[in-house]
């Protein structure tokens, strides 16, 4: 391959994946708290395993949250209703181990400071209409489509657990073609070839035609594109029955599919005073608006905070050689147009609302809808005018 030519792969998982089930429960608890008390402090962690959901962490609120009913409703919504799968909404045990937030943390947060230290990354690139890297964006669309055809019974033999993976061939650093697509999906006995005890070829073809091909851009597919479906041959036992799940274990799936750097902080279950969530949203908002304004074709934004301190400790902008403007000029523009204090982030992006469960599956970025205020490009015109 020539310089600038390479293969790049990203993965996504469905809402029934154990880690994503845990994320949705944590964010479901957060939403329940914010719906009754916008000032609630929430750091909720979930662990799911064989027949068990353990909900823990720290919550400070006067609102009452029925953890048991909330968990069962989410597990039911996701699709764990068939007892043959071993893990169901009405039979799993639920343990509640939630405490209150440390007063030592509250001292700094109550006066508008950051809820923790850390570094946060935002990224945008002109590869898709959503200004996301193409591999992760397509992987998310495949996982979402897989769940939709299950929920609508279009493919009634699918189970809740599943993964997708997309490999893109880049030429001169630009997406050129789809090299391969991998789908691993839980299924019922009805999908098996009875003689071979493996997933029937007819079912594999049906899934490719119903889920995969409608999602892929036709111009990116050629006769060398490979499709792999359940390479081991079968995937009947899935979800928490086969693998434990933990909140915050899919941070690369949640962000940019490995294309950008990551600060290391997870998102789900955390209220917006925790900057490892809210400042990542702001960093994405900044990066996306800079790219949408035409000031760069690719942009990475890094923010860093100290616990209890309002202003970010640092702001870094890297346009990866795709901008005619210096980093210093872009930093000056960003400081003028964006309030990066925790309070400013919360107010700008309207984060004290029960908007978080939809973020817990299929990525926090590159999305549409009322929850995803950080995907707006309402600052682009102002940035463009000011820069020029």
């Amino acid at each position: 391959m020539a310089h600038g030519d390479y293969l790049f792969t990203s993965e996504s998982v469905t809402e029934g994946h154990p880690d994503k089930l845990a994320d949705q429960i944590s964010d479901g608890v957060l939403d329940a708290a914010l719906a009754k008390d916008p000032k609630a402090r929430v750091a909720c962690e979930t662990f799911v395993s064989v027949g068990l959901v353990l909900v823990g962490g720290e919550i400070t609120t006067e609102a009452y949250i029925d953890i048991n009913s909330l968990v069962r409703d989410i597990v039911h919504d996701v699709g764990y209703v068939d007892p043959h799968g071993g893990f169901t909404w009405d039979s799993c045990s639920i343990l509640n181990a939630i405490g209150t937030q440390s007063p030592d943390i509250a001292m700094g947060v109550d006066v508008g400071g950051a809820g923790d230290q850390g570094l946060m990354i935002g990224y945008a690139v002109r590869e898709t209409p959503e200004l996301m890297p193409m591999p992760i964006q397509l992987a998310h669309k495949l996982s979402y489509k897989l769940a939709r055809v299950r929920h609508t019974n279009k493919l009634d033999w699918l189970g809740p657990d599943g993964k997708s993976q997309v490999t893109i061939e880049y030429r001169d650093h630009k997406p050129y073609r789809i090299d391969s697509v991998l789908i691993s999906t839980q299924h019922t006995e009805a999908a098996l070839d009875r003689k071979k005890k493996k997933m029937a070829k007819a079912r594999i073809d049906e899934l490719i035609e119903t889920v995969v091909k409608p999602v892929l851009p036709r111009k990116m597919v050629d006769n060398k594109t490979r499709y792999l479906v359940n390479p081991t041959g079968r995937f009947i036992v899935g979800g928490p029955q086969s693998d434990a799940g933990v909140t915050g274990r899919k941070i690369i799936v949640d962000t940019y599919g490995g294309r950008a750097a990551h600060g290391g902080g997870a998102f789900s279950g955390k209220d917006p005073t925790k900057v490892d969530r809210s400042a990542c949203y702001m960093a994405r908002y900044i990066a996306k608006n800079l790219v949408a304004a035409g000031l760069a074709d690719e942009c990475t934004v890094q923010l860093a905070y100290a616990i209890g301190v309002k202003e970010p400790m640092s702001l870094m902008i890297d346009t990866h050689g795709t901008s005619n403007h210096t980093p210093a000029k872009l930093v000056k523009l960003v400081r003028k147009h964006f309030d990066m204090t925790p309070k400013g982030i919360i107010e700008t992006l309207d984060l004290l609302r029960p908007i978080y469960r939809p973020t817990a599956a299929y990525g926090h970025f590159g999305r549409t809808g009322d929850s995803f205020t950080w995907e707006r490009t309402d600052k682009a015109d102002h940035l463009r005018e000011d820069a020029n």
Side-chain angles (χ1 to χ4, degrees), residues 260-320:
H262 196 292
F267 300 156
S268 290
K270 298 176 182 177
D271 75 78
T273 67
K274 281 75 173 173
V275 285
D276 42 0
R277 178 175 212 159
S278 56
C280 279
Y281 292 170
M282 175 55 79
R284 162 67 175 172
Y285 182 50
I286 294 168
K288 187 173 184 182
N289 275 273
L290 288 171
V291 173
L295 303 183
D297 290 333
E298 182 179 5
C299 183
T300 298
V301 174
Q302 185 201 66
L303 296 169
Y305 291 83
I307 189 167
V309 179
K310 295 180 182 180
E311 294 290 341
M313 302 298 289
S314 65
L315 164 64
M316 184 278 293
I317 297 176
D318 183 0
T319 57
H320 307 276

Side-chain angles (χ1 to χ4, degrees), residues 13-330:
V13 298
T14 66
E15 65 206 48
H17 186 281
D19 293 328
K20 279 290 135 200
L21 180 61
D23 285 339
Q24 289 170 90
I25 292 170
S26 292
D27 271 337
V29 172
L30 171 60
D31 282 350
L34 291 177
K36 296 179 179 180
D37 178 10
K39 295 182 180 181
R41 299 282 166 73
V42 180
C44 179
E45 310 289 344
T46 303
F47 168 77
V48 298
S49 188
V50 179
L52 174 67
V53 177
L54 171 61
V55 184
E58 302 81 44
I59 299 180
T60 301
T61 180
E62 295 182 0
Y64 171 71
I65 304 170
D66 186 346
I67 297 292
N68 192 292
S69 295
L70 186 148
V71 169
R72 294 197 191 280
D73 287 346
I74 291 174
V75 175
H76 181 276
D77 289 348
V78 168
Y80 285 105
V81 297
D82 184 356
H84 292 97
F87 181 93
T88 61
W89 69 280
D90 56 351
S91 66
C92 62
S93 298
I94 300 170
L95 297 180
N96 183 348
I98 293 174
T100 58
Q101 185 185 66
S102 165
D104 296 342
I105 297 175
M107 285 175 60
V109 177
D110 290 342
V111 296
D116 201 354
Q117 71 174 49
L119 57 136
M120 298 82 200
I121 303 293
Y123 181 76
V125 64
R126 201 178 297 281
E127 286 185 7
T128 63
E130 300 86 357
L131 302 184
M132 286 286 288
M134 185 175 285
I136 188 64
Q137 196 68 10
L138 289 180
H140 282 322
K141 289 182 177 181
L142 286 169
S143 293
Y144 182 78
K145 181 73 170 180
L146 191 61
R148 286 303 95 202
V149 299
R150 174 175 61 86
H151 281 298
T152 59
N153 286 321
K154 195 168 186 179
L155 298 181
D156 59 5
W157 43 268
L158 289 174
D161 195 358
K163 291 184 174 184
S164 66
Q165 186 169 287
V166 177
T167 300
I168 300 289
E169 180 181 335
Y170 282 76
R171 294 193 181 179
D172 193 23
H173 298 292
K174 293 180 174 59
Y176 180 74
R177 59 179 288 274
I178 297 172
D179 179 78
S180 62
V181 175
L182 168 61
I183 300 287
S184 293
T185 179
Q186 187 182 10
H187 58 81
T188 66
E189 296 275 353
L192 292 178
D193 181 310
R194 295 298 178 183
K195 293 182 178 180
K196 297 181 179 179
K197 302 297 182 182
K198 292 186 176 183
M199 194 171 179
K201 185 179 183 304
R203 295 301 195 194
I204 293 174
D205 293 341
E206 186 179 17
L207 190 144
I208 291 172
E209 294 298 325
T210 306
V211 174
V212 178
K213 288 186 176 180
V215 167
L216 304 182
R218 292 185 179 181
K219 64 179 182 179
M220 298 290 292
V221 177
D222 57 28
N223 57 10
K224 293 183 180 179
T225 300
R226 296 177 296 161
Y227 304 103
L228 292 84
V229 176
N230 285 9
T232 63
R234 54 188 286 157
F235 184 1
I236 292 177
V237 179
Q241 192 68 15
S242 65
D243 190 14
V246 182
T247 299
R249 200 159 57 178
K250 285 289 178 285
I251 58 176
I252 298 303
V253 171
D254 285 342
T255 53
Y256 306 101
R259 180 67 178 275
H262 196 292
F267 300 156
S268 290
K270 298 176 182 177
D271 75 78
T273 67
K274 281 75 173 173
V275 285
D276 42 0
R277 178 175 212 159
S278 56
C280 279
Y281 292 170
M282 175 55 79
R284 162 67 175 172
Y285 182 50
I286 294 168
K288 187 173 184 182
N289 275 273
L290 288 171
V291 173
L295 303 183
D297 290 333
E298 182 179 5
C299 183
T300 298
V301 174
Q302 185 201 66
L303 296 169
Y305 291 83
I307 189 167
V309 179
K310 295 180 182 180
E311 294 290 341
M313 302 298 289
S314 65
L315 164 64
M316 184 278 293
I317 297 176
D318 183 0
T319 57
H320 307 276
T322 67
S323 177
N324 293 323
H325 303 279
T326 65
K329 180 177 180 179
L330 295 178

